[in-house]
């Protein structure tokens, strides 16, 4: 029974199926909203799903310079770790494996899809991919610092005088004291986190790694068919996971009493976060240069997060 | 059921890869116009891809100069099946005003199988859109033929 | 019977060293037999101690020549093996045994192998003796033998570029460190009139700290700092690890700098017992944090595979020093675990670097590429090592790094000191930078395109692969089954480091410690409130297989390997915007351009400091020792 | 009296460190290391010295009669010094042989020229 239950968690509800479906839905929302902002009709909401299934039906070409195992395994590893992160993030107060993991685990699990992209791109043997992985890695280094600072600030706020890296404790604290976002010392951290989310997902102003017009999609250049579809799915799932992480860190205090309502509220909040931090920035900005991106994250964004951490440390 | 889903999506998300084989840039601009908010090809799922590996529809403009012929063929070979080739404008169809030149090898049909030709110098965005849409339907047929 | 094992193991290795030189300098078979026999017996003898020491919690003491203490004075040389010693001894024997197996084929083409194996056995014996001895002067002698053998081994391939230079720098900085240690030992002897660690510990804790002992402490800490290569002392390490034969680089990073870490723990926690002072904690933690940051940033700019690994060794030792500097049970546990994991994954990475060197003849990142197709087994081992050191779940580096973060942040929250929070942030950022530099190696060595001159590269022989497999397996197993590791290795070792009375009593006779008023520091076992990696892993495998089938099930096709002279299908060529495929590899020095431009000023300063001039390095050593001494004098109570 | 020894040993150590840090000639660097060693040895041997003590030799008759032993110097530091001198000599020999080989390879023993490994 326990095994069945865990299998259900892993494969269906907060795990693989739910995350991928909802991730694709969020990607659709993102594309639609961007289109509406540009005064277009835009693709239907199901468009990412069509993309994914179309890619599954296409031929997967493995170039002769590529290492077959790494080339095919990389997207799957990314997919699996993304599906698993969702098990540790409270979805409206519901965690599949509560108490089993904390923020640091999530932080590390979130880097795995990036690493998978890098290893996959690197194994394809293309020099464009080489440039792409370099940029992806620099982006990763860039957002890691503010991300860490935000997590530490939240942990300190929720934990008080004791250590609380656990997501569950953050959720409990918010259920008692209201949303983290409305603590004024946490506002800089929330803004920093809103800027970390698009970099992690790799949407418009921060998509230097996959710049399709300069370096031919970077790490994805040699991917086609099912493997590419997997990567596109990973990007969509990352949107959901990151916006879900934001919601559970900063807006996790909304409780109606019924789990179903909580989950619906969670999903709605995810959509809102996606629209604010991904679609809007996508529609209004142009792509950054890689060195500007790094500087931006290590000065402005990290500064915001550090400011928040110091405020929290002073007991505010 | 799964197969049917895939077949249905084959025509709903055609990604374009654009090859300029010596065109005067007129057709290229019109192709970009198709993607602008006024015509908004994205509502049918059209999207420009950065590499032939991602493409479903290859749009070829220009009269296929001798310099670009080999590169064109090589790039076309790298597109995964099922794929469609759309020739854009009169140049790849007939050579247009460049016909007979020592450096022009039009028509495109001599080297590759062209699924849809959009004629005109330059074709209107509406015409391009229709051509692309037809190509998308052909994609679905090809996909079904592949998995018979 | 069992109390003879440790001393037998050490003696056997020294005996083996002489026998190799006498009998085996001509005959290859005799030489290899003696070496492996000595190494294997030492391995078995040490592993036989796991049951009594780790599980039953005994402490084994042994007096050379049966010179047991008379009326509370220990004059003879004593060996004392508590769980902490055994923990490091296990790392040592595992490392040198694997290195020995690897050497058999790795070094086969070199000359004067008799000398090599002599020095190898002396190095192994000295480090083993160092971690098991209970006598400070004996410790110093072992440190000197270790330095001597290391220098000789560094300069072993003396026809190669830079070996002599590296050996000389190592010698100068190393013997400065040894001199500091010896001065410290002399000062302690002047204070306590004994050389036995247990007795010193008992006497110091009842007498309180005097200026003499503070000076001694500072000098010994600096001395062991040199041996563990914390930052201002790290400069010779980078050179030595790079040019030494790879089997020896593995010993350096797996054993020699662990010996320094062991010395630090022994001195700070057991002999002087000063780790309850917050200023000492802060000093050690700051040194650790600086070490990990400078190590990793230097590693990011390296062009040499082994030099990059050397800087990572320094950086990872920074984690260990930071963790043991926290002075808490959790910190010590995490530090020990990371030391162990560092031995495993860094040994593995050095072995893969050696395999690359063996197969291709170079470790220059700009000249390599695409080796994953020629050396697939090495590539998999390398990736496991790289992911372990970068701390990706579910490998072992993740668990220990995670414990380090928990320990530092717990410390920050408990003491309310913001510096520890910054240290946590530094540790986390260093982790991602570690990942970045290993991505660089992955791209520059194993993936990408194969240069024409490496087309004939072959996979390395099985004798080199087996140690790599063992290490990879240990990396994965320690990550997944860490509760077992914790129960049988880390917890006893942590307890041994924090409970001094047992140590003293076993050596000096029951009641000695109590008579002098020494009491234990009560420790709770480090709290583990983690995820369960086994469940996670099973599910990972389930989903992975399912999804992999979906992907590979869709129509996929693969081109043939490119053969010279054979026409190939352009469909499977790499996309070059329509051009014919060319050789183009994004090498190691081209990666992370965006990062390096932003850090230009920093790198200019840092590369200026790593000038390669031995006197500069000596100046760093003296300045750092002076800083440690000053801090100790100002802040010690 | 003994204070002179301590001062001398510290002066020797500082002098040796100064030599190592400032002299660019590699042989002088090795000499500096040697001087540090001698300073430390002097320190150790002075530690065992007791003013007015005799050589540490028991007389059998004293032991049998239960007479308190003589006031003598501590023998342990002398053993330590001996060991330390031997080790120091080995290290110096090793260092000098390395310097010779460096000279053959680099044609110089100036520290500024021996810096192929840097950065």
């Amino acid at each position: 029974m326990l095994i069945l239950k865990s299998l259900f968690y892993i494969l269906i509800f907060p795990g693989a199926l739910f995350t991928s479906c909802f991730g694709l839905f969020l990607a659709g929302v993102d594309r639609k909203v961007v289109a509406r902002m540009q005064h277009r009709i835009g693709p239907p909401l199901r468009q990412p799903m069509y993309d994914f299934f179309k890619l599954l039906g296409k031929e997967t070409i493995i170039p002769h310079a590529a290492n077959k195992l790494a080339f095919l395994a990389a997207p799957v590893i990314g997919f699996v770790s993304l599906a698993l992160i969702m098990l540790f993030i409270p979805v409206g107060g519901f965690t599949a494996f509560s108490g089993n993991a904390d923020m640091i685990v999530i932080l590390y699990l979130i880097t795995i899809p990036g690493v998978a992209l890098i290893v996959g791109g690197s194994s394809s043997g293309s020099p464009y991919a080489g440039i792409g992985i370099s940029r992806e890695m620099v982006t990763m280094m860039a957002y890691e610092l503010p991300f860490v600072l935000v997590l530490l600030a939240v942990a300190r706020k929720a934990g008080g005088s004791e250590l609380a890296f656990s997501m569950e404790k953050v959720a409990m604290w918010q259920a008692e004291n209201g949303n983290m976002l409305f603590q004024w010392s946490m506002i800089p951290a929330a803004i920093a986190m809103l800027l970390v989310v698009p970099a992690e997902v790799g949407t418009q102003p921060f998509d230097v790694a996959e710049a399709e017009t300069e370096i031919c999609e970077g790490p994805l250049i040699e991917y086609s068919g099912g493997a590419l579809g997997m990567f596109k799915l990973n990007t969509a799932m990352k949107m959901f996971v990151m916006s879900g992480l934001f919601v559970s860190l900063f807006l996790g205090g909304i409780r109606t009493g019924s789990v179903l309502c909580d989950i619906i509220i969670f999903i709605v909040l995810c959509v809102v976060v996606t629209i604010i931090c991904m679609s809007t920035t996508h529609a209004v900005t142009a792509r950054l240069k890689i060195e500007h991106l790094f500087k931006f994250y290590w000065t402005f964004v990290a500064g915001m997060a550090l400011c928040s951490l110091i405020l929290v440390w002073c007991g505010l | 059921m799964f197969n049917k889903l895939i077949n249905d999506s084959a025509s709903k998300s055609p990604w374009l890869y654009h090859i300029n084989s010596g065109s005067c840039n007129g057709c290229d601009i019109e192709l970009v116009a198709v993607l602008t908010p006024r015509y908004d090809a994205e509502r049918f799922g059209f999207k420009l891809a950065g590499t032939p590996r991602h493409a479903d529809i290859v749009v070829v403009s220009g009269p296929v100069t001798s310099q670009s012929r080999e590169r064109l063929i090589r790039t076309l070979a790298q597109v995964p099946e099922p794929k469609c080739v759309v020739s854009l404008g009169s140049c790849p169809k007939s050579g247009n005003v460049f016909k007979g030149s020592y450096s022009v090898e039009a028509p495109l049909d001599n080297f590759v199988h062209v699924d849809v030709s959009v004629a005109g110098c330059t074709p209107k965005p509406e015409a391009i859109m229709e051509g692309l849409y037809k190509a998308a339907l052909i994609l679905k047929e090809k996909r079904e033929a592949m998995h018979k | 019977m069992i109390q003879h094992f440790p001393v037998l193991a050490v003696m056997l290795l020294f005996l083996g060293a002489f026998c190799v030189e006498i009998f085996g300098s001509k005959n290859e078979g005799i030489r290899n037999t003696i070496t492996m026999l000595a190494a294997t017996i030492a391995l078995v003898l040490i592993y036989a101690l796991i049951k009594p020491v780790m599980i039953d919690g005994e402490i084994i003491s042994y007096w050379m020549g049966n010179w047991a203490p008379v009326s509370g004075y220990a004059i003879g040389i004593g060996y004392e093996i508590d769980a902490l010693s055994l923990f490091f001894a296990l790392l040592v024997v595992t490392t040198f045994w694997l290195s020995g197996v690897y050497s058999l084929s790795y070094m086969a083409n070199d000359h004067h192998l008799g000398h090599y194996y002599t020095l190898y056995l002396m190095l192994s014996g000295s480090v083993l003796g160092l971690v098991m001895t209970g006598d400070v002067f004996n410790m110093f002698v072992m440190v000197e033998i270790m330095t001597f053998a290391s220098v000789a081994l560094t300069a072993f391939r003396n026809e190669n570029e830079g070996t002599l230079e590296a050996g000389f720098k190592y010698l100068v900085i190393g013997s400065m460190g040894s001199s500091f240690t010896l001065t410290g030992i002399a000062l302690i002897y002047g204070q306590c009139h004994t050389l036995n660690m247990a007795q010193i510990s008992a006497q110091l804790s009842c007498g309180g700290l005097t200026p003499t002992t503070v000076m001694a402490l500072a000098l010994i800490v600096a001395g062991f700092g040199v041996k563990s290569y914390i930052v201002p002392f790290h400069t010779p390490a980078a050179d030595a690890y790079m040019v030494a034969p790879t089997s020896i680089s593995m010993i350096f990073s797996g054993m020699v700098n662990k010996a320094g870490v062991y010395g630090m723990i022994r001195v700070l926690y057991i002999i002087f017992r000063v780790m309850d002072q917050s200023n000492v904690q802060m000093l050690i933690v700051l040194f650790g944090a600086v070490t990990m940051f400078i190590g990793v940033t230097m590693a990011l700019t390296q062009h040499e595979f082994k030099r990059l690994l050397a800087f990572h060794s320094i950086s990872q030792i920074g984690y260990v020093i930071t963790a043991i500097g926290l002075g808490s049970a959790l910190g010590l546990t995490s530090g020990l675990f990371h030391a162990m994991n560092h031995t495993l994954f860094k040994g593995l990475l050095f072995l893969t670097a050696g395999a690359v060197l063996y197969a291709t003849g170079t470790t220059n990142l700009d000249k390599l590429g695409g080796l994953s197709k020629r050396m697939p087994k090495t590539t998999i081992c390398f990736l496991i090592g790289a992911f372990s050191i970068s701390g990706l779940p579910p490998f072992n580096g993740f668990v220990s790094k995670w414990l380090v973060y928990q320990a530092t942040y717990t410390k920050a929250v408990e003491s309310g000191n913001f510096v520890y929070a910054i240290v946590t942030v530094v540790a986390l950022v260093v982790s991602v930078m570690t990942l970045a530099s290993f991505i660089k190696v992955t791209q520059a060595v194993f993936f990408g395109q194969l240069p024409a001159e490496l087309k004939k590269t072959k996979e390395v022989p099985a004798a080199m692969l087996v140690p790599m497999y063992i290490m990879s397996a240990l990396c994965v197993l320690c990550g997944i089954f860490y509760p077992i590791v914790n129960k049988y290795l880390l917890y006893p070792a942590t307890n041994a480091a924090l409970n001094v009375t047992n140590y003293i009593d076993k050596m000096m006779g029951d009641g000695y410690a109590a008579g002098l008023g020494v009491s234990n520091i009560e420790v709770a076992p480090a709290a583990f409130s983690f995820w369960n990696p086994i469940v996670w892993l099973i599910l990972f495998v389930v989903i992975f297989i399912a999804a992999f089938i979906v992907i590979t099930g869709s129509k996929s096709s693969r081109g043939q390997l490119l053969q010279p002279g054979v026409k190939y299908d352009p469909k499977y060529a790499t996309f070059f915007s329509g051009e014919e495929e060319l050789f183009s590899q994004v090498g190691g020095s081209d990666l992370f351009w965006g990062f390096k431009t932003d850090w230009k000023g920093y790198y200019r300063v840092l590369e200026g400091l790593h000038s390669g001039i031995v006197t500069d390095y000596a100046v760093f050593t003296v300045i750092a020792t002076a800083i440690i001494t000053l801090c100790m004098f100002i802040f010690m109570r | 009296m003994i204070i002179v020894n301590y001062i001398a040993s510290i002066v020797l150590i500082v002098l040796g460190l100064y030599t190592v840090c400032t002299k660019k000639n590699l042989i002088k660097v090795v000499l500096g290391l040697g001087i540090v060693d001698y300073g430390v040895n002097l320190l150790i041997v002075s530690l065992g010295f007791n003013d007015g003590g005799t050589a540490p030799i028991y007389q059998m008759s004293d032991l049998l009669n239960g007479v308190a032993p003589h006031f003598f110097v501590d023998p342990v530091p002398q053993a330590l010094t001996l060991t330390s001198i031997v080790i120091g000599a080995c290290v110096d020999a090793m260092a000098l042989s390395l310097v010779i080989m460096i000279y053959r390879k680099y044609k110089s023993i100036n520290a500024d020229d021996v810096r192929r490994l840097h950065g």
Side-chain angles (χ1 to χ4, degrees), chain A residues 59-60 64 100 108 122 222, chain C residues 373 405 431 531 571 575:
Chain A
E59 181 186 27
T60 306
H64 62 66
N100 262 340
Y108 271 90
S122 180
E222 293 296 334
Chain C
K373 312 195 73 158
Y405 309 142
S431 177
W531 65 331
K571 180 172 179 181
F575 175 61

Side-chain angles (χ1 to χ4, degrees), chain A residues 31 38 40-44 47 50-51 53-59 61 212 216-217 220-224 228, chain B residues 2 5-6 9-10 12-13 15 37 40 42-43 45 47 49-51 53-56 78 80-82 143:
Chain A
R31 278 177 77 169
Q38 294 173 343
R40 290 189 278 131
I41 296 168
Q47 186 60 38
Y50 289 143
D51 289 351
F53 282 113
K54 175 209 75 177
L55 286 169
L56 280 190
K58 289 202 68 154
E59 181 186 27
I61 298 174
E212 74 273 3
C216 311
E217 313 255 352
L220 295 179
I221 177 167
E222 293 296 334
Y223 274 99
S224 55
L228 177 64
Chain B
F2 195 60
L5 194 59
I6 290 177
S9 4
K12 287 182 180 154
S13 105
W15 291 358
D40 189 23
E42 206 186 344
R43 65 201 145 108
K47 205 173 100 174
T51 141
R53 299 275 192 221
H54 299 188
D56 304 291
Q78 290 176 348
E81 296 290 338
R143 160 73 205 176

Side-chain angles (χ1 to χ4, degrees), chain C residues 233-301:
Chain C
F233 309 124
H234 68 292
T235 42
D239 299 345
Y241 290 16
M242 171 185 165
V243 297
T246 312
S247 46
I248 297 305
S249 307
M250 170 192 172
I251 289 191
F252 284 170
S253 82
M255 289 160 50
V256 173
N257 61 17
K258 294 305 170 311
V261 171
Y262 166 79
M264 288 272 219
I265 298 177
R266 190 55 97 193
V267 167
L268 289 170
Y269 279 88
I270 291 185
I271 299 183
F272 286 88
R273 311 180 68 207
V274 289
M275 286 315 288
D276 49 349
Q277 299 198 14
S278 58
N279 292 321
V280 180
Q281 290 169 0
M282 182 63 93
L283 179 71
I284 307 280
V285 166
L286 284 182
F287 263 99
V290 170
T291 303
M292 64 176 138
F293 191 71
I294 289 189
V296 81
T297 44
M298 280 308 288
L300 271 170
T301 59

Side-chain angles (χ1 to χ4, degrees), chain C residues 339-397:
Chain C
M340 172 181 166
N341 291 340
H342 176 242
T343 302
L344 295 176
F345 53 60
K346 189 48 68 63
L348 175 60
L349 289 167
F350 267 119
L351 293 188
T352 52
V356 170
L357 182 62
Y358 183 87
T360 64
T362 180
T363 49
N364 190 331
L365 294 181
D366 294 335
K367 290 182 183 156
L368 292 163
L371 286 180
S372 67
K373 312 195 73 158
R374 304 285 164 186
M375 305 166 74
K377 294 165 188 158
T378 310
T379 309
I380 289 175
C381 291
F382 172 80
L383 284 179
I384 291 177
F387 292 155
S388 302
I389 196 175
S390 333
L392 292 187
F395 298 104
N396 57 359

